[in-house]
Amino acid sequence: MRIYNTLTRTKEEFVPLEAGKVKMYACGITVSGEAHIGHGFQALIYDIMRKYLEKKGYSVTYARNYTDVDDKIIARAKEEGVPADEYAARMIGRIDEVMREMDIDDPTLWLKATENIGNIQDFISRLIQSGHAYAAPSGDVYFDVSSFPGYGCLSNRSVEDMLDGVRVENAEDKRNPADFALWKAAKPGEIFWPSPWGDGRPGWHIECSAMNRAAFGEQIDIHGGGRDLIFPHHENEIAQTESLTGKRFVKYWTHNGLIKVNGQKMSKSLGNSLLLEDLLKKYTNEAIKFALLQTNYRNDINITDDLFPEAERHLTAFYKIIRQVEDKFGKGSVGNPQIDKKFDEAMDDDFNTALALSELFSLFRGVAAGLAAGDPACAEDVRQIRQTYSLLGLFKKDAYAYLAEVAAKSPAEEIPAEVRQLAERRWQAKKEKNWPLADELRAKIDALGYSVKDGKEGYDVGRKQ
């Protein structure tokens, strides 16, 4: 199994620090607003990574964090006239709810900045004692970038390049413009905690380093997040942690691509953020996953107007085949191990979900051919597809239930009264075992441009594809 490592810019054979065990951490959401499709994509990717590593036989401890205190959260709480901790707790509840609707599992460990203040302060104190950080007269505490020679190793940029065009805050308090805040002195009316340097709150970057150390110790196997976190967030995590421990912090750095909407970067300022809550009103969670996972996780995803509707059409077609197979042959009993083997070959190559999904089209063509030929082996293929691809969050639902959900979310097509009447007459003819009349009525429906498909409990009629 090979994983692309952002630090080395190569795919590397995956060998964990401890045989059979994986320590994995992914940066979660800053809860200053509702969960959007970018949050959903990142949570989905690392949920899949965790599950695939478990499928490979590893015991995985997977941690995600919520940043539940920062400038944006404080600002939003002030706008709503509530305490910052109350606002953050409410947003976490809302985000948890929508992630459950997306059918994304919780990590092994949920970590929150406000529940780790002691760990954060201890981490900062040790950095000050070792000469890697300093307290300014203002009460802010900064990391001294010049004390860490490896700074820039992840982003592959020099300090000068990093500062070019970047707004430098509180420069008068810093020894060097690139130094970054570990602890921020409290402003009037802000949430704060007492500390050796005065009342204040954690800087953003120190949270993940301190929580990782508390949860896992000095080193972890996999650290993930969006590509936008490489600099400064993950660069600063490396500097802080490795300055404290003298050890390589993360063995494999992984980063997912970003979301674009019709070619533009998704952002609140452009007004093109796609909230998960809104998308789930229009599409099934499986269709959203299918759409996102057709792109390699390291690449950006361009969300066009057709992306989710097309994914829903593909899944609907697949589920209709599944329904017909299960109605005719049942749900299979042993499965087809070759399907699982090919899936694993794709996923072993840096979690290549795009390649794994591309196999579905030929798999379902084969299933449809087997169904037409009356071959019961197609039920074993369907059983294996369901079992294997459930790891990606697909084909987990009863076929009738899935198709009903799609119909409920989509405006119903107006079927002409003549076609509905023919379909109902045909269904009655079938129940009476009047096969010649049933075939005659099917032909009339077909001639009008519609098709009818039968199940155990009824029939569907729709325009021919």
Side-chain angles (χ1 to χ4, degrees):
M1 178 180 176
R2 289 158 61 78
I3 297 178
Y4 183 85
N5 189 346
T6 306
L7 184 66
T8 61
R9 295 163 189 83
T10 59
K11 288 182 184 178
E12 300 178 4
E13 192 69 24
F14 180 68
V15 180
L17 294 164
E18 183 179 352
K21 296 183 178 180
V22 176
K23 295 183 287 187
M24 174 176 162
Y25 180 95
C27 290
I29 301 174
T30 298
V31 294
S32 56
E34 304 286 351
H36 56 62
I37 189 63
H39 297 139
F41 177 51
Q42 196 254 32
L44 173 63
I45 286 300
Y46 289 99
D47 184 41
I48 288 170
M49 286 187 184
R50 181 261 297 270
K51 288 173 179 171
Y52 188 66
L53 289 164
E54 289 175 340
K55 183 183 181 185
K56 298 287 286 186
Y58 295 106
S59 174
V60 181
T61 304
Y62 168 40
R64 284 179 69 82
N65 78 300
Y66 272 127
T67 294
D68 56 348
V69 59
D70 85 332
D71 292 337
K72 291 181 180 178
I73 293 169
I74 292 170
R76 291 296 299 273
K78 283 183 177 178
E79 288 174 11
E80 297 197 12
V82 298
D85 55 349
E86 179 182 322
Y87 174 84
R90 173 157 50 86
M91 291 309 303
I92 288 172
R94 291 167 68 101
I95 292 166
D96 282 347
E97 184 177 348
V98 78
M99 288 299 178
R100 281 192 288 272
E101 194 173 345
M102 270 290 287
D103 191 29
I104 294 173
D105 289 347
D106 285 343
T108 317
L109 302 172
W110 271 122
L111 305 174
K112 297 176 184 175
T114 58
E115 295 176 355
N116 281 271
I117 298 299
N119 293 324
I120 291 168
Q121 291 184 358
D122 177 69
F123 202 113
I124 294 171
S125 295
R126 290 171 183 269
L127 287 174
I128 293 173
Q129 292 166 11
S130 61
H132 290 286
Y134 57 93
S138 62
D140 293 335
V141 179
Y142 293 98
F143 182 85
D144 184 354
V145 167
S146 67
S147 74
F148 184 68
Y151 196 72
C153 61
L154 187 66
S155 59
N156 200 30
R157 291 190 287 179
S158 67
V159 174
E160 291 74 20
D161 289 339
M162 294 174 191
L163 288 173
D164 186 29
V166 175
R167 180 166 62 92
V168 177
E169 296 182 345
N170 302 327
E172 66 277 5
D173 280 347
K174 299 180 181 182
R175 294 176 183 171
N176 304 296
D179 294 351
F180 56 89
L182 303 174
W183 187 260
K184 294 186 174 185
K187 296 175 183 176
E190 285 188 352
I191 188 172
F192 68 87
W193 289 264
S195 82
W197 320 287
D199 292 344
R201 58 186 172 83
W204 175 35
H205 311 299
I206 193 64
E207 295 173 13
C208 291
S209 287
M211 289 189 289
N212 259 297
R213 179 169 173 263
F216 293 121
E218 296 181 335
Q219 295 177 290
I220 63 173
D221 296 287
I222 298 173
H223 194 317
R227 196 175 63 241
D228 55 330
L229 298 183
I230 294 174
F231 179 82
H233 188 51
H234 290 165
E235 196 76 72
N236 291 350
E237 278 193 64
I238 290 173
Q240 296 162 163
T241 305
E242 296 188 5
S243 292
L244 184 69
T245 67
K247 299 177 181 178
R248 180 172 171 177
F249 173 32
V250 175
K251 192 167 184 183
Y252 303 93
W253 283 96
T254 61
H255 293 91
N256 60 275
L258 307 180
I259 299 291
K260 296 181 179 180
V261 180
N262 291 317
Q264 287 187 304
K265 180 180 177 182
M266 189 177 71
S267 69
K268 287 184 181 179
S269 62
L270 292 174
N272 63 354
S273 293
L274 298 175
L275 299 184
L276 276 178
E277 183 180 17
D278 294 339
L279 286 170
L280 285 163
K281 291 175 183 176
K282 298 179 180 179
Y283 310 106
T284 64
N285 60 38
E286 292 196 12
I288 295 171
K289 293 175 185 179
F290 188 91
L292 297 175
L293 297 175
Q294 289 181 91
T295 300
N296 182 286
Y297 80 92
R298 289 190 286 115
N299 296 335
D300 291 347
I301 297 176
N302 185 31
I303 296 179
T304 62
D305 294 339
D306 293 334
L307 182 67
F308 296 118
E310 183 179 359
E312 195 79 271
R313 284 194 293 272
H314 287 316
L315 275 180
T316 297
F318 293 155
Y319 263 108
K320 285 181 176 179
I321 294 172
I322 290 172
R323 182 188 62 186
Q324 292 175 66
V325 169
E326 292 180 344
D327 281 348
K328 187 168 184 178
F329 298 115
K331 296 188 177 181
S333 56
V334 295
N336 181 348
Q338 285 303 115
I339 293 173
D340 198 57
K341 180 181 178 184
K342 204 151 191 180
F343 176 87
D344 285 0
E345 288 172 357
M347 294 293 285
D348 279 346
D349 182 15
D350 193 32
F351 308 102
N352 195 337
T353 60
L355 179 58
L357 288 186
S358 70
E359 293 292 328
L360 283 173
F361 296 93
S362 61
L363 285 172
F364 274 102
R365 281 195 296 271
V367 170
L371 177 65
D375 182 359
C378 65
E380 304 305 336
D381 287 351
V382 165
R383 179 184 178 87
Q384 192 66 61
I385 289 169
R386 276 188 174 280
Q387 180 179 318
T388 296
Y389 283 85
S390 66
L391 190 143
L392 304 184
L394 304 177
F395 309 118
K396 297 176 69 173
K397 300 178 181 178
D398 172 79
Y400 280 96
Y402 182 86
L403 295 170
E405 182 183 354
V406 172
K409 291 177 183 286
S410 305
E413 180 188 3
E414 185 62 35
I415 306 297
E418 179 184 3
V419 175
R420 290 201 306 270
Q421 291 167 4
L422 288 169
E424 185 59 30
R425 284 178 58 200
R426 176 184 171 275
W427 182 250
Q428 290 301 321
K430 283 196 68 178
K431 289 201 293 186
E432 295 166 4
K433 300 188 178 180
N434 187 345
W435 310 122
L437 178 58
D439 290 343
E440 179 186 336
L441 293 169
R442 178 191 281 276
K444 289 182 178 181
I445 294 168
D446 187 73
L448 291 170
Y450 290 82
S451 63
V452 61
K453 294 183 178 178
D454 297 324
K456 285 182 178 178
E457 302 175 8
Y459 62 88
D460 286 335
V461 60
R463 188 174 293 279
K464 286 197 294 188
Q465 300 296 318

